[in-house]
Amino acid sequence: MNLDDLAAFAAVAEARSFRGAAYVRGVAASSLSDAVRRLERELDVRLLHRTTRSVTPTAAGQRLLERLTPALREVRGALDAINAEGESPVGSLRLNVPTIVARVLLPPLIGPFLARHPGIRLEVVAEDRLIDVLAAGFDAGVRYDEHLEADMISVRLGPVTQRFAVAGTPAYLERHGVPAHPADLVRHSCIGHRFASGLVAQWSFERGSEVINVAPGSRLLASTLDLELQAALDGVGLIYSFADYLAEPLADGRLVEVLTDWSTAFPGPRLYYADRRQLPAPLRAFVAFLRERHG
């Protein structure tokens, strides 16, 4: 019996979708459908219920999946162990990261990492919605402390701390005044950010024991950082974003930071992954690379 067909069935049954499993495995959905049909013919039993809207395991399919999953994990572990014995790991590494991490923190890391490990193929998916990265077929994710799951292992990916900054152009501040308190923002034109979930980001401030969350009226609401930054540079209003992202226009004077005494540092992002006995070789190499850079 073809091991690839068994792995294809497991991928479809776990994803509850031929298309979703095909995306994770990087193959055509039709090839997975052929593999499952071939397996069902060989076993002479239906393994999946298929409708136009869903794919679910039959009772026999669920029993097979429960026995198959740990067996396939052992096979992958054995192959990874052999891979680890080589001088240079090979294989794919899939990461799910927030857009700010992809925009600011990952670029200085990717070139040196791939140069050191020419046998690794890296895929980075940047999005701000919170998903189960393992169920979605990723090897690891990048999150901030408040979104880290307790049963995961994490390693520092970027700076120890980051902070948010509010900024506007000198011309905008001259016309509208410099806010001295977060409450003053209600009188300003603000550039808001909408997450993929549909939620609009609040602007959070902290000074001493005082914490203030502001939902400023947004003259512009966007879901892309670059659009928000360009609007701020064009004088549309004040922007609230990661200070790292605004570093260049703040340094050259195109933007001026305000409310600096209300800007509080928070822990930087971390790479997190499942506690497994045998990590895939590409992920192990990336973890070692991060620990070497950040100590």
Side-chain angles (χ1 to χ4, degrees):
M1 189 170 291
N2 191 325
L3 183 60
D4 285 342
D5 289 352
L6 289 167
F9 158 73
V12 174
E14 289 172 353
R16 298 294 198 268
S17 163
F18 282 96
R19 183 175 298 177
Y23 176 79
V24 170
R25 291 172 63 85
V27 299
S30 59
S31 69
L32 295 182
S33 180
D34 291 343
V36 172
R37 279 199 297 268
R38 195 161 49 239
L39 186 61
E40 288 177 327
R41 283 198 304 270
E42 292 182 13
L43 295 175
D44 194 25
V45 64
R46 179 175 288 278
L47 298 173
L48 296 174
H49 293 300
R50 305 165 178 83
T51 71
T52 56
R53 297 190 173 204
S54 67
V55 176
T56 57
T58 63
Q62 185 61 39
R63 289 196 299 272
L64 178 60
L65 180 64
E66 291 170 359
R67 299 290 297 272
L68 208 67
T69 299
L72 289 173
R73 189 179 298 122
E74 286 297 319
V75 170
R76 285 193 292 268
L79 294 175
D80 285 330
I82 295 298
N83 190 4
E85 294 176 3
E87 292 183 1
S88 180
V90 298
S92 297
L93 174 62
R94 300 187 73 233
L95 303 178
N96 182 277
V97 308
T99 53
I100 186 63
V101 171
R103 178 69 173 76
V104 176
L105 303 181
L106 269 185
L109 300 176
I110 289 176
F113 173 69
L114 293 180
R116 180 180 298 185
H117 300 291
I120 291 179
R121 175 173 131 354
L122 177 64
E123 179 182 353
V124 177
V125 174
E127 57 182 345
D128 291 320
R129 65 191 181 101
L130 295 178
I131 64 169
D132 184 335
V133 296
L134 300 182
F138 293 95
D139 297 294
V142 175
R143 295 290 183 268
Y144 287 86
D145 276 356
E146 67 269 24
H147 298 305
L148 286 176
E149 297 180 26
D151 58 346
M152 294 287 184
I153 297 175
S154 69
V155 60
R156 178 182 156 202
L157 180 127
V160 175
T161 60
Q162 290 183 280
R163 66 183 184 88
F164 286 105
V166 180
T169 62
Y172 173 87
L173 295 172
E174 185 177 349
R175 288 196 310 272
H176 300 280
V178 177
H181 188 277
D184 297 338
L185 294 172
V186 297
R187 296 190 292 273
H188 281 267
S189 172
C190 298
I191 299 168
H193 179 82
R194 187 186 292 279
F195 293 108
S197 65
L199 293 176
V200 177
Q202 284 193 325
W203 294 18
S204 298
F205 302 92
E206 184 176 343
R207 185 173 66 180
S209 61
E210 190 176 4
V211 177
I212 297 177
N213 292 315
V214 178
S218 300
R219 186 178 177 198
L220 172 67
L221 192 60
S223 59
T224 59
L225 296 174
D226 289 348
L227 179 59
E228 294 160 26
L229 176 57
Q230 188 57 55
L233 293 172
D234 289 341
V236 171
L238 298 177
I239 186 173
Y240 175 87
S241 190
F242 289 82
D244 310 77
Y245 181 62
L246 304 178
E248 186 176 322
L250 286 174
D252 63 24
R254 286 178 293 160
L255 291 180
V256 176
E257 185 175 357
V258 299
L259 299 172
T260 54
D261 55 336
W262 287 89
S263 178
T264 303
F266 55 88
R270 302 181 69 85
L271 178 85
Y272 77 101
Y273 52 95
D275 184 3
R276 298 184 237 176
R277 183 174 57 185
Q278 186 69 45
L279 285 182
L283 177 57
R284 188 186 310 110
F286 191 54
V287 169
F289 173 79
L290 292 178
R291 285 180 171 153
E292 177 185 313
R293 289 182 70 101
H294 300 307

